[in-house]
Each structure stands twice: as C-alpha cells, then as structure tokens.
Amino acid sequence: ATKIYDIENTSVKLQLWDTPGEMDMLTVTRSDFRHAQSIVVAYDSCVPASLDNAMNWVKEIDRFCGRPLPIKLLLGCKSDKKSKSSVSKEKAEEIASKMGMIYAECSAEDGTNVDATFRKLAIKCMDRAREKKESDGIPRKGSGSEDSCCTIS
C-alpha cells in the first residue's frame, strides 16, 4: 500500500509492505527489510506471546538491517479490545523506549489511531530525511537512490 501525507507543505510518501511474521520466514523477510528506512513491528495486545515474538523480530532487524538502522515503530494492535488486553500500554511503551522505537496503538477494526500512527511515522521519516539533507544532501524523487526513507517533493 502507498500513502502520501502532507507534512508542513511537503509531500511524504510511505510505501508499506506486509511481510510474514513467522520466524521460519526470516530468510525471505531479511531481504525485504535490509534496505528499509522505517519498519513497523506489530503485535496483538491481547496476546503476550505476540509482544515477545515482535521483540525477536526487532533483534533480527537490528542484526540484519543496513546502517543507519531504520526508524522502528512498535505497534500495539487491537486497541479497541482494552478489556481483553493482556499487555499493558505502559509495559509496551517501556520496551519500545529501551529498544529505541516509537510506540503507538491502533485498531484496524474501528480505525482508531491508524492514520495518526502512520502520520507520526511519516513525520519521523521527514525529520530523518531533513537531517540527512543538512549533513550530506538528500536524493530527490526519481533519483533511484535507496538512501531516503521516504519520497519528499
């Protein structure tokens, strides 16, 4: 999926790819995230083992991604199921902070916080792209470079 956000009069294009979450798919998925500039690691907030599995993925991302490491977002899904949630927001936020990640919660079922979460990611991508531009220039749309986290035009 592709989503374009207007951030401070700048178009930021996120291209989203869904990869399998099973560890036996790791060899296939490594090539998917090797050049990624941002990564969303989602877990089911109603299943504690899901957060543990997500953290295993984060370790693999840190191990196999190029440098600089991508912007990482830990995403707690099913925020609409608070009464069934087994993973507290505070615990997940603490883990995300320790892992150098952004944290957000959303509900795909009722749409709560979905757009705001990806807007937040787009802002982080834009900030990183601006930092890169200030330090050594940023590739522009159509440059063919894989070094930018998003398309800025």
Side-chain angles (χ1 to χ4, degrees), residues 25-142:
M25 295 299 293
L26 181 60
T27 55
V28 174
T29 307
R30 278 184 191 151
S31 63
D32 291 333
F33 61 63
R34 182 167 286 133
H35 298 290
Q37 299 302 310
S38 61
I39 294 179
V40 178
V41 179
Y43 73 95
D44 182 336
S45 63
C46 298
V47 181
S50 178
L51 180 59
D52 295 337
N53 188 45
M55 291 303 90
N56 289 333
W57 276 102
V58 171
K59 290 174 188 169
E60 292 301 315
I61 289 164
D62 289 349
R63 185 171 158 208
F64 289 101
C65 276
R67 298 293 184 258
L69 285 173
I71 297 165
K72 297 175 288 186
L73 169 67
L74 180 62
L75 183 60
C77 297
K78 299 187 181 176
S79 65
D80 57 305
K81 309 277 190 230
K82 289 288 184 195
S83 62
K84 296 180 181 179
S85 181
S86 302
V87 179
S88 73
K89 178 180 179 180
E90 295 75 21
K91 177 182 179 183
E93 285 177 324
E94 180 182 337
I95 290 170
S97 177
K98 286 180 181 176
M99 302 290 284
M101 302 176 77
I102 305 164
Y103 178 75
E105 292 181 329
C106 73
S107 168
E109 186 169 312
D110 66 15
T112 301
N113 206 32
V114 174
D115 191 62
T117 295
F118 287 101
R119 177 173 289 283
K120 184 183 207 180
L121 184 60
I123 290 168
K124 290 289 186 182
C125 284
M126 187 177 76
D127 290 345
R128 180 175 279 184
R130 284 184 175 163
E131 289 169 10
K132 182 172 177 52
K133 180 180 180 182
E134 290 172 6
S135 66
D136 64 359
I138 183 170
R140 290 292 178 184
K141 185 175 182 179

